[in-house]
Amino acid sequence: MIKLFEEEPSVICLIEASHIVYWVAYIPFQGSKFEFYAPIEDRLNFEALNSHHKSKKAIASISKQHNPFDLLRILYEGAVAGAAAGVVVEAALYPIDTIKTRLQAVRGGGQIILKGLYSGLAGNLVGVLPASAIFIGAYEPAKRKLLNSLPENLSALAHLTAGAIGGAASSVVRVPTEVVKQRMQISQFASAPDAVRLIVAKERFRGLYAGYGSFLLRDLPFDAIQFCIYEQMRMGYKLAAKRDLKDSENAMIGAIAGAITGAITTPLDVIKTRLMVQGSAKQYEGILHCVNTIVREEGASTLFKGIGPRVLWIGVGGSIFFGVLERTKKFVAAKHPVD
């Protein structure tokens, strides 16, 4: 427990349980003591909500007990919430992602095909579920640890770093899933098992990790920026509203964060797509060669191919993902309360 303020006739304290932080007011009244609880998600929000208590004197003494199982609980709750959010988004918006991939993969003035927009969905969901679980399962504990370790004015750095950590941890699953998905989206293979078997046969196991460097180049900045924008906007919104956010508000902030991040990382996405779908043809020798070839043969504007579907897909996806994520986190926490 961290005792922040003390003033007669009430005492206000901060109690942390799992990933939820509560502020508690103990109010003596006519011989009885009433307790008032309100959930807050972090210390910054707690202090924002109580900024009007300026007349109260801060107490320097801090006594905090760390539960060794808190980290495992945060990891578990994050993994469940991340898996649920990732699967819902992928299933709902897969056709838009397919169109985006085909726009980016076609060279020159080639035409895209609008048939088979759900090609590869089932196999992709098999990879998305563990990848999303790993991402949020790594992100939430890292975020908590960094927020507790860094000064409050560096919270953005904590969110940036945690997002990159989550992206790096999940890339082991996300990259093969993305390779198989995009090869199927451009009709190179008929099914996910066939795709895996033939990729390994022709390109060996490393074929499943084609474009791994470009994937990290795109997704580590993407994950870091998106989650930083989301968390910072969410904190700012709470500061202004002086209350916890509604599901619709989390979704709105998620949409804005997703759309902004999707737009500015489109060139990285184009490069990643070209490297992943080239297969054994090896049209591009690496990231720099890919960029130079695209600009020389197709023009610099090609690096922004598919920006419309990408912004739509990630904007709507961000709305769904963060909305489902926050709701699932609350649901799982309620199902597994701290004793």
PDB file of all heavy atoms in Angstrom, residues 186-208:
ATOM      1  N   ILE A 186      -2.077 -13.548 -52.527  1.00  0.00           N
ATOM      2  CA  ILE A 186      -1.803 -13.291 -53.940  1.00  0.00           C
ATOM      3  C   ILE A 186      -1.859 -14.592 -54.748  1.00  0.00           C
ATOM      4  O   ILE A 186      -1.312 -14.702 -55.847  1.00  0.00           O
ATOM      5  CB  ILE A 186      -0.434 -12.609 -54.145  1.00  0.00           C
ATOM      6  CG1 ILE A 186       0.707 -13.468 -53.617  1.00  0.00           C
ATOM      7  CG2 ILE A 186      -0.420 -11.239 -53.469  1.00  0.00           C
ATOM      8  CD1 ILE A 186       2.093 -12.930 -53.958  1.00  0.00           C
ATOM      9  N   SER A 187      -2.533 -15.597 -54.149  1.00  0.00           N
ATOM     10  CA  SER A 187      -2.865 -16.862 -54.837  1.00  0.00           C
ATOM     11  C   SER A 187      -1.659 -17.699 -55.236  1.00  0.00           C
ATOM     12  O   SER A 187      -1.702 -18.426 -56.239  1.00  0.00           O
ATOM     13  CB  SER A 187      -3.723 -16.567 -56.086  1.00  0.00           C
ATOM     14  OG  SER A 187      -4.885 -15.851 -55.729  1.00  0.00           O
ATOM     15  N   GLN A 188      -0.596 -17.662 -54.460  1.00  0.00           N
ATOM     16  CA  GLN A 188       0.544 -18.539 -54.729  1.00  0.00           C
ATOM     17  C   GLN A 188       0.271 -19.964 -54.250  1.00  0.00           C
ATOM     18  O   GLN A 188       0.800 -20.919 -54.807  1.00  0.00           O
ATOM     19  CB  GLN A 188       1.806 -17.998 -54.042  1.00  0.00           C
ATOM     20  CG  GLN A 188       2.435 -16.802 -54.727  1.00  0.00           C
ATOM     21  CD  GLN A 188       3.790 -16.440 -54.148  1.00  0.00           C
ATOM     22  OE1 GLN A 188       4.341 -17.168 -53.325  1.00  0.00           O
ATOM     23  NE2 GLN A 188       4.320 -15.301 -54.561  1.00  0.00           N
ATOM     24  N   PHE A 189      -0.557 -20.096 -53.211  1.00  0.00           N
ATOM     25  CA  PHE A 189      -0.857 -21.402 -52.648  1.00  0.00           C
ATOM     26  C   PHE A 189      -2.353 -21.515 -52.367  1.00  0.00           C
ATOM     27  O   PHE A 189      -3.042 -20.511 -52.171  1.00  0.00           O
ATOM     28  CB  PHE A 189      -0.068 -21.637 -51.355  1.00  0.00           C
ATOM     29  CG  PHE A 189       1.414 -21.464 -51.517  1.00  0.00           C
ATOM     30  CD1 PHE A 189       2.060 -20.337 -51.018  1.00  0.00           C
ATOM     31  CD2 PHE A 189       2.176 -22.422 -52.162  1.00  0.00           C
ATOM     32  CE1 PHE A 189       3.425 -20.163 -51.161  1.00  0.00           C
ATOM     33  CE2 PHE A 189       3.547 -22.258 -52.312  1.00  0.00           C
ATOM     34  CZ  PHE A 189       4.173 -21.133 -51.807  1.00  0.00           C
ATOM     35  N   ALA A 190      -2.842 -22.771 -52.306  1.00  0.00           N
ATOM     36  CA  ALA A 190      -4.275 -23.005 -52.112  1.00  0.00           C
ATOM     37  C   ALA A 190      -4.659 -23.132 -50.647  1.00  0.00           C
ATOM     38  O   ALA A 190      -5.794 -22.865 -50.270  1.00  0.00           O
ATOM     39  CB  ALA A 190      -4.700 -24.268 -52.865  1.00  0.00           C
ATOM     40  N   SER A 191      -3.716 -23.578 -49.809  1.00  0.00           N
ATOM     41  CA  SER A 191      -4.028 -23.748 -48.390  1.00  0.00           C
ATOM     42  C   SER A 191      -2.781 -23.465 -47.553  1.00  0.00           C
ATOM     43  O   SER A 191      -1.648 -23.521 -48.062  1.00  0.00           O
ATOM     44  CB  SER A 191      -4.527 -25.173 -48.110  1.00  0.00           C
ATOM     45  OG  SER A 191      -3.488 -26.115 -48.296  1.00  0.00           O
ATOM     46  N   ALA A 192      -3.012 -23.197 -46.275  1.00  0.00           N
ATOM     47  CA  ALA A 192      -1.896 -22.889 -45.378  1.00  0.00           C
ATOM     48  C   ALA A 192      -0.927 -24.071 -45.225  1.00  0.00           C
ATOM     49  O   ALA A 192       0.296 -23.877 -45.280  1.00  0.00           O
ATOM     50  CB  ALA A 192      -2.428 -22.434 -44.021  1.00  0.00           C
ATOM     51  N   PRO A 193      -1.418 -25.320 -45.027  1.00  0.00           N
ATOM     52  CA  PRO A 193      -0.477 -26.445 -44.932  1.00  0.00           C
ATOM     53  C   PRO A 193       0.370 -26.611 -46.193  1.00  0.00           C
ATOM     54  O   PRO A 193       1.575 -26.882 -46.108  1.00  0.00           O
ATOM     55  CB  PRO A 193      -1.401 -27.652 -44.724  1.00  0.00           C
ATOM     56  CG  PRO A 193      -2.619 -27.078 -44.077  1.00  0.00           C
ATOM     57  CD  PRO A 193      -2.798 -25.738 -44.715  1.00  0.00           C
ATOM     58  N   ASP A 194      -0.264 -26.456 -47.383  1.00  0.00           N
ATOM     59  CA  ASP A 194       0.495 -26.543 -48.635  1.00  0.00           C
ATOM     60  C   ASP A 194       1.540 -25.435 -48.716  1.00  0.00           C
ATOM     61  O   ASP A 194       2.669 -25.657 -49.173  1.00  0.00           O
ATOM     62  CB  ASP A 194      -0.452 -26.423 -49.838  1.00  0.00           C
ATOM     63  CG  ASP A 194      -1.233 -27.702 -50.084  1.00  0.00           C
ATOM     64  OD1 ASP A 194      -0.858 -28.744 -49.503  1.00  0.00           O
ATOM     65  OD2 ASP A 194      -2.218 -27.657 -50.835  1.00  0.00           O
ATOM     66  N   ALA A 195       1.152 -24.233 -48.261  1.00  0.00           N
ATOM     67  CA  ALA A 195       2.073 -23.099 -48.301  1.00  0.00           C
ATOM     68  C   ALA A 195       3.298 -23.377 -47.458  1.00  0.00           C
ATOM     69  O   ALA A 195       4.440 -23.185 -47.917  1.00  0.00           O
ATOM     70  CB  ALA A 195       1.364 -21.835 -47.814  1.00  0.00           C
ATOM     71  N   VAL A 196       3.104 -23.854 -46.236  1.00  0.00           N
ATOM     72  CA  VAL A 196       4.227 -24.141 -45.336  1.00  0.00           C
ATOM     73  C   VAL A 196       5.122 -25.227 -45.933  1.00  0.00           C
ATOM     74  O   VAL A 196       6.357 -25.093 -45.974  1.00  0.00           O
ATOM     75  CB  VAL A 196       3.716 -24.566 -43.953  1.00  0.00           C
ATOM     76  CG1 VAL A 196       4.882 -25.038 -43.068  1.00  0.00           C
ATOM     77  CG2 VAL A 196       2.977 -23.419 -43.275  1.00  0.00           C
ATOM     78  N   ARG A 197       4.495 -26.298 -46.420  1.00  0.00           N
ATOM     79  CA  ARG A 197       5.258 -27.428 -46.966  1.00  0.00           C
ATOM     80  C   ARG A 197       6.087 -27.014 -48.180  1.00  0.00           C
ATOM     81  O   ARG A 197       7.278 -27.349 -48.282  1.00  0.00           O
ATOM     82  CB  ARG A 197       4.289 -28.561 -47.331  1.00  0.00           C
ATOM     83  CG  ARG A 197       4.954 -29.790 -47.930  1.00  0.00           C
ATOM     84  CD  ARG A 197       3.932 -30.907 -48.121  1.00  0.00           C
ATOM     85  NE  ARG A 197       2.818 -30.470 -48.938  1.00  0.00           N
ATOM     86  CZ  ARG A 197       2.831 -30.437 -50.277  1.00  0.00           C
ATOM     87  NH1 ARG A 197       3.918 -30.797 -50.936  1.00  0.00           N
ATOM     88  NH2 ARG A 197       1.763 -30.058 -50.952  1.00  0.00           N
ATOM     89  N   LEU A 198       5.465 -26.285 -49.119  1.00  0.00           N
ATOM     90  CA  LEU A 198       6.169 -25.921 -50.351  1.00  0.00           C
ATOM     91  C   LEU A 198       7.224 -24.832 -50.121  1.00  0.00           C
ATOM     92  O   LEU A 198       8.270 -24.832 -50.768  1.00  0.00           O
ATOM     93  CB  LEU A 198       5.154 -25.454 -51.395  1.00  0.00           C
ATOM     94  CG  LEU A 198       4.236 -26.565 -51.927  1.00  0.00           C
ATOM     95  CD1 LEU A 198       3.128 -25.995 -52.808  1.00  0.00           C
ATOM     96  CD2 LEU A 198       5.044 -27.607 -52.705  1.00  0.00           C
ATOM     97  N   ILE A 199       6.937 -23.907 -49.199  1.00  0.00           N
ATOM     98  CA  ILE A 199       7.935 -22.874 -48.879  1.00  0.00           C
ATOM     99  C   ILE A 199       9.179 -23.512 -48.290  1.00  0.00           C
ATOM    100  O   ILE A 199      10.318 -23.193 -48.676  1.00  0.00           O
ATOM    101  CB  ILE A 199       7.358 -21.821 -47.914  1.00  0.00           C
ATOM    102  CG1 ILE A 199       6.326 -20.941 -48.629  1.00  0.00           C
ATOM    103  CG2 ILE A 199       8.469 -20.942 -47.338  1.00  0.00           C
ATOM    104  CD1 ILE A 199       5.563 -20.008 -47.709  1.00  0.00           C
ATOM    105  N   VAL A 200       8.984 -24.439 -47.355  1.00  0.00           N
ATOM    106  CA  VAL A 200      10.124 -25.119 -46.723  1.00  0.00           C
ATOM    107  C   VAL A 200      10.875 -25.966 -47.752  1.00  0.00           C
ATOM    108  O   VAL A 200      12.111 -26.027 -47.754  1.00  0.00           O
ATOM    109  CB  VAL A 200       9.650 -25.989 -45.542  1.00  0.00           C
ATOM    110  CG1 VAL A 200      10.795 -26.853 -45.015  1.00  0.00           C
ATOM    111  CG2 VAL A 200       9.094 -25.114 -44.427  1.00  0.00           C
ATOM    112  N   ALA A 201      10.118 -26.629 -48.675  1.00  0.00           N
ATOM    113  CA  ALA A 201      10.753 -27.481 -49.688  1.00  0.00           C
ATOM    114  C   ALA A 201      11.599 -26.664 -50.662  1.00  0.00           C
ATOM    115  O   ALA A 201      12.705 -27.081 -51.033  1.00  0.00           O
ATOM    116  CB  ALA A 201       9.676 -28.257 -50.450  1.00  0.00           C
ATOM    117  N   LYS A 202      11.100 -25.502 -51.088  1.00  0.00           N
ATOM    118  CA  LYS A 202      11.796 -24.700 -52.092  1.00  0.00           C
ATOM    119  C   LYS A 202      12.809 -23.724 -51.493  1.00  0.00           C
ATOM    120  O   LYS A 202      13.860 -23.460 -52.091  1.00  0.00           O
ATOM    121  CB  LYS A 202      10.778 -23.914 -52.925  1.00  0.00           C
ATOM    122  CG  LYS A 202       9.906 -24.776 -53.828  1.00  0.00           C
ATOM    123  CD  LYS A 202       8.945 -23.907 -54.626  1.00  0.00           C
ATOM    124  CE  LYS A 202       8.073 -24.746 -55.543  1.00  0.00           C
ATOM    125  NZ  LYS A 202       7.123 -23.898 -56.328  1.00  0.00           N
ATOM    126  N   GLU A 203      12.484 -23.177 -50.328  1.00  0.00           N
ATOM    127  CA  GLU A 203      13.318 -22.113 -49.762  1.00  0.00           C
ATOM    128  C   GLU A 203      13.923 -22.471 -48.418  1.00  0.00           C
ATOM    129  O   GLU A 203      14.538 -21.632 -47.767  1.00  0.00           O
ATOM    130  CB  GLU A 203      12.472 -20.830 -49.624  1.00  0.00           C
ATOM    131  CG  GLU A 203      11.800 -20.388 -50.920  1.00  0.00           C
ATOM    132  CD  GLU A 203      10.768 -19.313 -50.677  1.00  0.00           C
ATOM    133  OE1 GLU A 203      11.069 -18.331 -49.957  1.00  0.00           O
ATOM    134  OE2 GLU A 203       9.641 -19.437 -51.206  1.00  0.00           O
ATOM    135  N   ARG A 204      13.685 -23.715 -48.004  1.00  0.00           N
ATOM    136  CA  ARG A 204      14.094 -24.195 -46.686  1.00  0.00           C
ATOM    137  C   ARG A 204      13.341 -23.438 -45.586  1.00  0.00           C
ATOM    138  O   ARG A 204      12.490 -22.609 -45.849  1.00  0.00           O
ATOM    139  CB  ARG A 204      15.610 -24.085 -46.517  1.00  0.00           C
ATOM    140  CG  ARG A 204      16.381 -24.908 -47.549  1.00  0.00           C
ATOM    141  CD  ARG A 204      17.862 -24.903 -47.293  1.00  0.00           C
ATOM    142  NE  ARG A 204      18.560 -25.721 -48.272  1.00  0.00           N
ATOM    143  CZ  ARG A 204      19.880 -25.906 -48.274  1.00  0.00           C
ATOM    144  NH1 ARG A 204      20.618 -25.307 -47.335  1.00  0.00           N
ATOM    145  NH2 ARG A 204      20.449 -26.659 -49.185  1.00  0.00           N
ATOM    146  N   PHE A 205      13.685 -23.777 -44.365  1.00  0.00           N
ATOM    147  CA  PHE A 205      12.947 -23.210 -43.228  1.00  0.00           C
ATOM    148  C   PHE A 205      13.042 -21.687 -43.185  1.00  0.00           C
ATOM    149  O   PHE A 205      12.106 -21.009 -42.765  1.00  0.00           O
ATOM    150  CB  PHE A 205      13.480 -23.808 -41.923  1.00  0.00           C
ATOM    151  CG  PHE A 205      12.702 -23.390 -40.707  1.00  0.00           C
ATOM    152  CD1 PHE A 205      11.458 -23.936 -40.419  1.00  0.00           C
ATOM    153  CD2 PHE A 205      13.212 -22.430 -39.839  1.00  0.00           C
ATOM    154  CE1 PHE A 205      10.745 -23.547 -39.298  1.00  0.00           C
ATOM    155  CE2 PHE A 205      12.509 -22.035 -38.718  1.00  0.00           C
ATOM    156  CZ  PHE A 205      11.267 -22.594 -38.445  1.00  0.00           C
ATOM    157  N   ARG A 206      14.165 -21.154 -43.649  1.00  0.00           N
ATOM    158  CA  ARG A 206      14.346 -19.710 -43.609  1.00  0.00           C
ATOM    159  C   ARG A 206      13.377 -18.983 -44.535  1.00  0.00           C
ATOM    160  O   ARG A 206      13.183 -17.776 -44.404  1.00  0.00           O
ATOM    161  CB  ARG A 206      15.784 -19.341 -43.968  1.00  0.00           C
ATOM    162  CG  ARG A 206      16.189 -19.681 -45.392  1.00  0.00           C
ATOM    163  CD  ARG A 206      17.642 -19.403 -45.627  1.00  0.00           C
ATOM    164  NE  ARG A 206      18.061 -19.760 -46.987  1.00  0.00           N
ATOM    165  CZ  ARG A 206      19.308 -19.731 -47.403  1.00  0.00           C
ATOM    166  NH1 ARG A 206      20.274 -19.371 -46.548  1.00  0.00           N
ATOM    167  NH2 ARG A 206      19.609 -20.054 -48.645  1.00  0.00           N
ATOM    168  N   GLY A 207      12.771 -19.725 -45.482  1.00  0.00           N
ATOM    169  CA  GLY A 207      11.769 -19.117 -46.350  1.00  0.00           C
ATOM    170  C   GLY A 207      10.563 -18.616 -45.576  1.00  0.00           C
ATOM    171  O   GLY A 207       9.888 -17.667 -45.997  1.00  0.00           O
ATOM    172  N   LEU A 208      10.275 -19.267 -44.451  1.00  0.00           N
ATOM    173  CA  LEU A 208       9.155 -18.829 -43.607  1.00  0.00           C
ATOM    174  C   LEU A 208       9.463 -17.505 -42.911  1.00  0.00           C
ATOM    175  O   LEU A 208       8.563 -16.850 -42.388  1.00  0.00           O
ATOM    176  CB  LEU A 208       8.825 -19.896 -42.557  1.00  0.00           C
ATOM    177  CG  LEU A 208       8.235 -21.204 -43.086  1.00  0.00           C
ATOM    178  CD1 LEU A 208       8.125 -22.227 -41.963  1.00  0.00           C
ATOM    179  CD2 LEU A 208       6.865 -20.964 -43.724  1.00  0.00           C
TER     180      LEU A 208
END
